[in-house]
PDB file of all heavy atoms in Angstrom:
ATOM      1  N   LEU A 112      98.652  59.192 164.143  1.00 98.00           N
ATOM      2  CA  LEU A 112      98.170  60.510 164.556  1.00 98.00           C
ATOM      3  C   LEU A 112      98.003  61.480 163.387  1.00 98.00           C
ATOM      4  O   LEU A 112      97.665  62.645 163.596  1.00 98.00           O
ATOM      5  CB  LEU A 112      99.137  61.114 165.581  1.00 98.00           C
ATOM      6  CG  LEU A 112      99.372  60.288 166.853  1.00 98.00           C
ATOM      7  CD1 LEU A 112     100.322  61.017 167.787  1.00 98.00           C
ATOM      8  CD2 LEU A 112      98.063  59.975 167.560  1.00 98.00           C
ATOM      9  N   GLY A 113      98.268  60.999 162.183  1.00 97.00           N
ATOM     10  CA  GLY A 113      98.115  61.852 161.017  1.00 97.00           C
ATOM     11  C   GLY A 113      99.172  62.916 160.887  1.00 97.00           C
ATOM     12  O   GLY A 113      98.914  64.008 160.362  1.00 97.00           O
ATOM     13  N   LEU A 114     100.401  62.621 161.331  1.00 98.00           N
ATOM     14  CA  LEU A 114     101.484  63.601 161.329  1.00 98.00           C
ATOM     15  C   LEU A 114     102.553  63.226 160.311  1.00 98.00           C
ATOM     16  O   LEU A 114     102.868  62.042 160.142  1.00 98.00           O
ATOM     17  CB  LEU A 114     102.128  63.687 162.718  1.00 98.00           C
ATOM     18  CG  LEU A 114     101.197  64.041 163.880  1.00 98.00           C
ATOM     19  CD1 LEU A 114     101.956  63.958 165.197  1.00 98.00           C
ATOM     20  CD2 LEU A 114     100.599  65.431 163.692  1.00 98.00           C
ATOM     21  N   PRO A 115     103.168  64.208 159.639  1.00 97.00           N
ATOM     22  CA  PRO A 115     104.305  63.910 158.757  1.00 97.00           C
ATOM     23  C   PRO A 115     105.494  63.435 159.588  1.00 97.00           C
ATOM     24  O   PRO A 115     105.704  63.892 160.712  1.00 97.00           O
ATOM     25  CB  PRO A 115     104.609  65.261 158.091  1.00 97.00           C
ATOM     26  CG  PRO A 115     103.451  66.148 158.401  1.00 97.00           C
ATOM     27  CD  PRO A 115     102.824  65.648 159.658  1.00 97.00           C
ATOM     28  N   PHE A 116     106.298  62.536 158.998  1.00 98.00           N
ATOM     29  CA  PHE A 116     107.463  62.007 159.718  1.00 98.00           C
ATOM     30  C   PHE A 116     108.660  61.939 158.775  1.00 98.00           C
ATOM     31  O   PHE A 116     108.544  61.462 157.639  1.00 98.00           O
ATOM     32  CB  PHE A 116     107.173  60.622 160.280  1.00 98.00           C
ATOM     33  CG  PHE A 116     108.359  60.005 160.975  1.00 98.00           C
ATOM     34  CD1 PHE A 116     108.737  60.431 162.247  1.00 98.00           C
ATOM     35  CD2 PHE A 116     109.127  59.032 160.344  1.00 98.00           C
ATOM     36  CE1 PHE A 116     109.853  59.894 162.876  1.00 98.00           C
ATOM     37  CE2 PHE A 116     110.237  58.489 160.968  1.00 98.00           C
ATOM     38  CZ  PHE A 116     110.597  58.915 162.241  1.00 98.00           C
ATOM     39  N   VAL A 117     109.810  62.384 159.266  1.00 97.00           N
ATOM     40  CA  VAL A 117     111.067  62.329 158.516  1.00 97.00           C
ATOM     41  C   VAL A 117     112.120  61.651 159.374  1.00 97.00           C
ATOM     42  O   VAL A 117     112.339  62.041 160.528  1.00 97.00           O
ATOM     43  CB  VAL A 117     111.559  63.738 158.118  1.00 97.00           C
ATOM     44  CG1 VAL A 117     112.858  63.631 157.316  1.00 97.00           C
ATOM     45  CG2 VAL A 117     110.499  64.483 157.317  1.00 97.00           C
ATOM     46  N   ALA A 118     112.774  60.640 158.817  1.00 96.00           N
ATOM     47  CA  ALA A 118     113.857  59.944 159.510  1.00 96.00           C
ATOM     48  C   ALA A 118     115.190  60.371 158.916  1.00 96.00           C
ATOM     49  O   ALA A 118     115.401  60.239 157.702  1.00 96.00           O
ATOM     50  CB  ALA A 118     113.698  58.436 159.369  1.00 96.00           C
ATOM     51  N   VAL A 119     116.081  60.894 159.761  1.00 96.00           N
ATOM     52  CA  VAL A 119     117.435  61.251 159.334  1.00 96.00           C
ATOM     53  C   VAL A 119     118.343  60.100 159.707  1.00 96.00           C
ATOM     54  O   VAL A 119     118.451  59.734 160.888  1.00 96.00           O
ATOM     55  CB  VAL A 119     117.897  62.559 160.006  1.00 96.00           C
ATOM     56  CG1 VAL A 119     119.317  62.912 159.564  1.00 96.00           C
ATOM     57  CG2 VAL A 119     116.932  63.689 159.680  1.00 96.00           C
ATOM     58  N   MET A 120     119.009  59.518 158.716  1.00 91.00           N
ATOM     59  CA  MET A 120     119.759  58.289 158.982  1.00 91.00           C
ATOM     60  C   MET A 120     120.979  58.163 158.075  1.00 91.00           C
ATOM     61  O   MET A 120     121.046  58.814 157.024  1.00 91.00           O
ATOM     62  CB  MET A 120     118.858  57.069 158.762  1.00 91.00           C
ATOM     63  CG  MET A 120     118.267  56.969 157.375  1.00 91.00           C
ATOM     64  SD  MET A 120     117.249  55.491 157.184  1.00 91.00           S
ATOM     65  CE  MET A 120     116.096  55.745 158.504  1.00 91.00           C
ATOM     66  N   PRO A 121     121.953  57.338 158.498  1.00 89.00           N
ATOM     67  CA  PRO A 121     123.114  57.099 157.636  1.00 89.00           C
ATOM     68  C   PRO A 121     122.689  56.441 156.328  1.00 89.00           C
ATOM     69  O   PRO A 121     121.746  55.641 156.290  1.00 89.00           O
ATOM     70  CB  PRO A 121     123.989  56.154 158.471  1.00 89.00           C
ATOM     71  CG  PRO A 121     123.534  56.349 159.878  1.00 89.00           C
ATOM     72  CD  PRO A 121     122.075  56.651 159.799  1.00 89.00           C
ATOM     73  N   ARG A 122     123.390  56.753 155.272  1.00 88.00           N
ATOM     74  CA  ARG A 122     123.082  56.176 153.965  1.00 88.00           C
ATOM     75  C   ARG A 122     123.279  54.659 153.961  1.00 88.00           C
ATOM     76  O   ARG A 122     122.730  53.956 153.098  1.00 88.00           O
ATOM     77  CB  ARG A 122     123.954  56.827 152.886  1.00 88.00           C
ATOM     78  CG  ARG A 122     123.409  56.697 151.483  1.00 88.00           C
ATOM     79  CD  ARG A 122     124.225  57.521 150.503  1.00 88.00           C
ATOM     80  NE  ARG A 122     124.164  58.939 150.787  1.00 88.00           N
ATOM     81  CZ  ARG A 122     123.162  59.734 150.418  1.00 88.00           C
ATOM     82  NH1 ARG A 122     122.126  59.235 149.770  1.00 88.00           N
ATOM     83  NH2 ARG A 122     123.185  61.024 150.717  1.00 88.00           N
ATOM     84  N   THR A 123     124.041  54.143 154.928  1.00 84.00           N
ATOM     85  CA  THR A 123     124.323  52.702 154.984  1.00 84.00           C
ATOM     86  C   THR A 123     123.225  51.891 155.674  1.00 84.00           C
ATOM     87  O   THR A 123     123.344  50.679 155.804  1.00 84.00           O
ATOM     88  CB  THR A 123     125.647  52.463 155.743  1.00 84.00           C
ATOM     89  OG1 THR A 123     125.566  53.105 157.033  1.00 84.00           O
ATOM     90  CG2 THR A 123     126.821  53.029 154.974  1.00 84.00           C
TER      91      THR A 123
END
Side-chain angles (χ1 to χ4, degrees):
L112 302 181
L114 303 175
F116 177 76
V117 181
V119 179
M120 58 179 57
R122 201 172 297 279
T123 54

